């Protein structure tokens, strides 16, 4: 062959080798992201510093573990900090002191009925049996849980909160944060977990998180997911329940379902994702929730015709649907001076300018632009039911006070997205389950990130019981599961 042809063929062959060999050679997989700038080792890493995460962290530290908590927001607390009406527990000394006879069995039945029996009965047993101990634990940590009120769907008053009727969430977060600090738990704020680390045996061994100055890898012997629900993630809410498009939310902005996404990526089973609760009494446009405790302490709901339209202490699904059926899709929460004085949480609504106040029912009706005759007649009829101890119109069983003491107050309300009942499947030890119902080694979860406890409809007051009971269990199980 001509030398020149040989040379040309040689060049073509060389170019071919340069181009093709790297394509077919076995290359290491593309790194998914740049290596973390900082690598840290600990026993237990907890993701999320709301009530469930702080309870898990304290419980793991009590078990002797070194614990790091990651929190993506600039402050701890999450939705727990917003909790107002109370924490359910049945058979507590605080109920007994107030002469309230109740039991975990009745609490169990109420929870299953309220959840339309879609709840996991094993988880509900644990919730209701351990809730009194959870209240005692918070009390020992310094929280005032001695006030007891009634919330929707509850046979007996069992929502524990400060005696003054102030919001319960800040009280709980305050003592848990102090206990975590005391126990030497390290809390990293503005540190957002983005991916769980899994080894070849399928064991979760840590997490990659992002901070302002770069990524951090935390290697841990156990990981607890406590990232809360997804009530502030409009896209995710409407993916599962399209009818909720356009609804406001009561949730803090960090409630975006990150833990559910991360758990799904490592094979966790998700349940009840389409079970999303609206809270019936939220101020339109503002998204500010007016606690159910206002109704529990005696307020009623009236529509634009000045009439009651529902048992105000029915479960949230029923009350929300009834409000949406009224003219304008909203209604008015109406109460008197006695109710105001019974609950310190109301003062915040007054100071925020959310409350219309008048010296008489006629004056209030004028301000609300609803018929005064009808409103007066409605309140008089309701007051007669209170006196007789029987609500002949809607069967409301708890009728604490007649609305007779001026001034009278009203707040316009409408339903908004409040609680996501679905999430990561867990067992009674708070171990995260895979699609086959088997625990994923090294991974635990507690709180609103999980599904199964509340079924189709959570009862008011049961979320706080859930996060403290299962938060403590998750922390304990994480320590016990360390290999
Ligand atoms: P959260 O308290 O929301 O904590 C989760 C934390 O994880 C947040 O701080 C979040 O920022 C953080 N996080 C999320 N993603 C990441 C990530 N990728 N990396 C790091 N951190 C992350 N329930 C009751 O029982 N009684 C009540 O009175 C009551 N009142 C309520 C009032 C309001 C306005 C609201 C919104 C809810 C109320 N609830 C109440 C419900 C209850 O507060 C919540 O269900 C419960 O507090 C959830 O606790 P959690 O610890 O699971 O989640
Ligand atoms: O459990 C709740 O979400 C609750 C009691 C809220 C509230 O109305 O205060």
């Amino acid at each position: 062959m001509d030398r020149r042809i040989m040379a040309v063929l040689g060049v073509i062959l060389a170019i071919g080798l340069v181009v093709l060999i790297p394509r077919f050679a076995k290359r290491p997989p593309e790194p998914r992201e740049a290596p973390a700038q900082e690598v840290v080792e600990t026993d237990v890493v907890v993701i999320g510093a709301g009530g469930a995460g702080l309870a898990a962290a304290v419980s793991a530290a009590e078990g002797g573990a070194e614990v790091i908590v990651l929190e993506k927001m600039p402050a701890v607390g999450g939705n727990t900090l917003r909790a107002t009406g109370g924490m359910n527990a049945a058979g507590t000394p605080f109920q007994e002191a107030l002469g309230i006879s109740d039991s975990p069995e009745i609490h169990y039945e109420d929870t299953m009925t309220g959840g339309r029996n879609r709840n996991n009965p094993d988880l509900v047993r644990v919730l209701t049996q351990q809730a009194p101990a959870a209240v005692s634990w918070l009390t020992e940590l310094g929280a005032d849980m001695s006030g007891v009120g009634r919330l929707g769907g509850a046979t007996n008053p069992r929502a524990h909160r400060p005696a003054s009727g102030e919001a319960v969430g800040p009280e709980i977060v305050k003592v848990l944060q102090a206990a975590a600090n005391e126990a030497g738990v390290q809390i990293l704020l503005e540190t957002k977990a983005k991916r769980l680390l899994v080894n070849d045996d399928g064991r979760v061994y840590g997490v990659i998180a992002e901070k302002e100055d770069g990524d951090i890898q935390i290697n841990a012997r156990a990981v607890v997911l406590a990232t809360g629900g997804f009530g502030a993630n409009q896209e995710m809410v409407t993916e599962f329940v399209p009818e909720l498009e356009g609804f406001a939310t009561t949730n803090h902005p960090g409630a975006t379902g990150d833990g559910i996404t991360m758990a799904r990526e490592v094979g966790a089973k998700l349940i009840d994702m389409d079970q999303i609760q609206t809270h019936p009494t939220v101020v339109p446009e503002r998204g500010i929730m007016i606690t159910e405790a206002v109704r529990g302490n005696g307020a009623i709901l009236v529509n634009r015709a000045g009439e009651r339209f529902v048992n105000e202490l029915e479960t949230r699904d029923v009350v929300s649907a009834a409000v949406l059926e009224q003219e304008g899709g909203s209604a008015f929460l109406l109460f008197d001076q006695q109710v105001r004085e019974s609950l310190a949480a109301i003062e915040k609504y007054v100071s925020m300018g959310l409350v219309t106040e008048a010296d008489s029912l006629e004056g209030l009706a004028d301000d609300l632009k609803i018929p005064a005759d009808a409103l007066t007649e409605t309140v008089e009829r309701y007051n007669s039911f209170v006196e007789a101890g029987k609500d002949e119109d809607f069967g409301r069983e708890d009728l604490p006070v007649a609305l007779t003491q001026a001034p009278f107050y009203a707040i316009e309300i409408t339903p908004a997205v409040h609680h996501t009942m679905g999430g990561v499947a867990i067992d009674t030890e708070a171990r995260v389950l895979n699609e086959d119902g088997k625990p994923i080694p090294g991974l635990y979860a507690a709180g609103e990130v999980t599904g199964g406890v509340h079924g189709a409809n959570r009862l008011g007051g049961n979320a706080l019981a859930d996060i403290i009971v299962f938060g403590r269990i998750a922390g304990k199980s994480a320590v016990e599961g360390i290999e």
Side-chain angles (χ1 to χ4, degrees), residues 47-53 70-73 75-88 151 168 191-194 226-229 250-252 254-259 262 279 289 291 316 418-419 446-449 458-465 467:
I47 309 176
L70 309 182
E71 170 53 54
K72 71 176 177 181
M73 304 300 279
V76 305
N79 271 347
T80 309
L81 199 57
R82 297 187 172 206
T84 312
M87 168 175 166
N88 287 345
L151 297 174
V168 67
T191 307
K192 180 182 175 186
K194 51 182 191 177
T227 45
T250 63
N251 284 203
H252 86 119
T256 47
D258 304 8
M262 284 186 280
H279 191 293
M289 183 202 77
T291 178
R316 289 170 179 176
H418 184 61
H419 190 88
E448 205 173 328
V449 69
R458 176 175 69 77
L459 291 188
N462 265 358
L464 295 180
I467 66 174

